[in-house]
Amino acid sequence: MKLPVNEIKSIAIFRALQLGDMLCIIPAVRALRNAYPQASITLLGLPWGKSFTERFDHYFDDFIHFPGYPGLPEQPFDARDFPPFLQEVQSRNFDLVIQMQGNGSVINPMMELFGARHTAGYTIEGHYAPNNGLFMTYPDFGHEIERHIRLMEFLGIEPQGKELEFPLNENDEQALENLKLNIEPGDYVCVHPGSRGAWRQWPVQYFAALADHCAEQGYKVVITGTKEEATIIDDVISHMRHDCINTAGQTSMGAVGVLIRDAALLISNCTGVSHMSSAFKTPSIVISMDGEPYRWGPLDTRIHRTIDWLQSPDFHAVFRETVEMVV
């Protein structure tokens, strides 16, 4: 169904998720912006999403912090925080709100409370969605990027490519320079062993072995991660035979972006940094621990090697992929 362009002046996108999930909707948002160049686009998301909209300010104009909702696991729900959020959203009188969170089984009734002129998104059989012709059956297949592009096409919006983006600015460059890491573009590899869930964590000794191989090929090894991932990173380092540069907890998201952009290779679990490597076209080895490499792995399989560890838990196969990538 094609929406009337002249009626859509304000749009809200609901997606309250983490970095990797957010980067995967950028091609769809790019198409949306192209279709509605004069509209104001607001993200309804997790608290960190404000910095996301600031980085992608060529697509987003505003941000509203979503405080959580029963059934959504990304953050605790506090019923006292929800009425002010709802009042804020309703006061905006959005022309269009797009649900890009998931299949809609939990939150589609909530979306109706926003009071938008038009509400669109995903739905699945047996669960509520407005009968307005703007809710598409959730495509529970294919890559995450392509799922959201399909939604745009369903709404009559022409795709603008599948390429990911991660804009960088002078502050990001300066933040990395301030660390004085003594590295040059192309002379190091990034190893990012952390992951938000323990079930998605590849064994630290395997990360160490790949890092040591890269060091033996003449590359410096830069290990990245948050301060919360310091224990994992220390474990990786304890298994390494060669020196490395430990940046755990020292880098902003933008500085990590610069590091990945200029790296010869990224080695990581399947997390947000793997999507950053896709955006920069930095070669990568990505270990998928969630059983969905077809959904979350980089689309370009020429320069990115995604290993489905649940199906093929073979370290030697991963090592051979690394040997091919590190020349």
Side-chain angles (χ1 to χ4, degrees):
M1 177 175 178
K2 188 172 178 60
L3 290 162
V5 174
N6 59 341
E7 291 184 15
I8 306 300
K9 305 297 183 183
S10 59
I11 301 171
I13 294 173
F14 182 86
R15 190 165 173 88
L17 297 171
Q18 301 297 338
L19 177 62
D21 308 272
M22 297 304 299
L23 290 176
C24 283
I25 69 166
I26 287 300
V29 177
R30 182 167 60 235
L32 184 68
R33 170 56 76 196
N34 183 71
Y36 300 99
Q38 304 304 319
S40 171
I41 301 179
T42 298
L43 174 67
L44 314 179
L46 299 179
W48 80 273
K50 180 173 175 57
S51 66
F52 184 82
T53 59
E54 290 168 348
R55 185 168 298 280
F56 287 91
D57 60 3
H58 52 305
Y59 296 142
F60 295 99
D61 301 284
D62 204 356
F63 170 78
I64 299 176
H65 166 217
F66 170 68
Y69 190 73
L72 296 184
E74 286 74 26
Q75 61 183 333
F77 173 67
D78 188 333
R80 293 167 296 185
D81 293 335
F82 192 78
F85 161 76
L86 188 59
Q87 184 177 17
E88 171 69 12
V89 173
Q90 290 175 343
S91 72
R92 300 292 186 94
N93 295 311
F94 288 110
D95 294 317
L96 172 64
V97 174
I98 306 178
Q99 186 273 101
M100 299 178 73
Q101 179 79 4
N103 64 27
S105 59
V106 173
I107 62 169
N108 280 348
M110 178 192 73
M111 303 293 294
E112 287 280 74
L113 301 177
F114 293 171
R117 180 183 298 180
H118 302 285
T119 304
Y122 300 108
T123 185
I124 57 173
E125 186 177 354
H127 292 270
Y128 173 80
N131 185 24
N132 62 3
L134 298 176
F135 277 76
M136 168 186 172
T137 299
Y138 184 68
D140 198 11
F141 57 87
H143 199 280
E144 186 74 2
I145 293 170
E146 295 168 338
R147 295 183 193 206
H148 300 296
I149 291 175
R150 287 190 183 96
L151 177 60
M152 294 301 107
E153 291 178 310
F154 177 79
L155 298 175
I157 295 170
E158 184 178 348
Q160 298 295 310
K162 301 178 183 179
E163 297 78 17
L164 294 183
E165 303 176 29
F166 193 85
L168 296 172
N169 55 48
E170 291 183 3
N171 291 336
D172 299 326
E173 304 275 0
Q174 189 61 54
L176 182 61
E177 186 175 330
N178 290 343
L179 294 179
K180 302 185 184 304
L181 299 182
N182 189 30
I183 55 175
E184 296 293 336
D187 79 346
Y188 65 92
V189 300
C190 283
V191 177
H192 190 94
S195 179
R196 220 163 247 287
W199 71 94
R200 298 170 63 184
Q201 176 61 55
W202 202 44
V204 293
Q205 63 270 27
Y206 293 163
F207 275 114
L210 298 190
D212 278 333
H213 173 74
C214 293
E216 288 160 6
Q217 304 313 303
Y219 291 96
K220 295 179 180 178
V221 175
V222 179
I223 303 187
T224 60
T226 65
K227 63 181 179 180
E228 291 79 15
E229 294 166 337
T231 299
I232 294 171
I233 290 170
D234 287 343
D235 285 346
V236 171
I237 294 172
S238 72
H239 284 83
M240 289 181 62
R241 302 187 308 274
H242 298 279
D243 292 335
C244 65
I245 300 171
N246 182 0
T247 67
Q250 302 176 48
T251 50
S252 64
M253 186 181 297
V256 171
V258 178
L259 274 171
I260 293 173
R261 180 196 67 189
D262 293 341
L265 178 71
L266 168 71
I267 302 171
S268 75
N269 294 300
C270 193
T271 61
V273 293
S274 67
H275 300 302
M276 291 166 71
S277 72
S278 293
F280 296 125
K281 296 180 172 54
T282 298
S284 66
I285 299 288
V286 179
I287 315 300
S288 174
M289 304 292 291
D290 58 12
E292 295 186 299
Y294 59 88
R295 180 177 181 182
W296 299 107
L299 284 172
D300 186 346
T301 56
R302 296 177 302 106
I303 65 170
H304 306 287
R305 309 290 174 85
T306 302
I307 292 89
D308 185 350
W309 190 254
L310 297 188
Q311 291 295 320
S312 303
D314 181 355
F315 170 74
H316 297 291
V318 182
F319 187 82
R320 288 193 295 271
E321 295 278 11
T322 307
V323 170
E324 290 184 17
M325 298 285 279
V326 179
V327 294

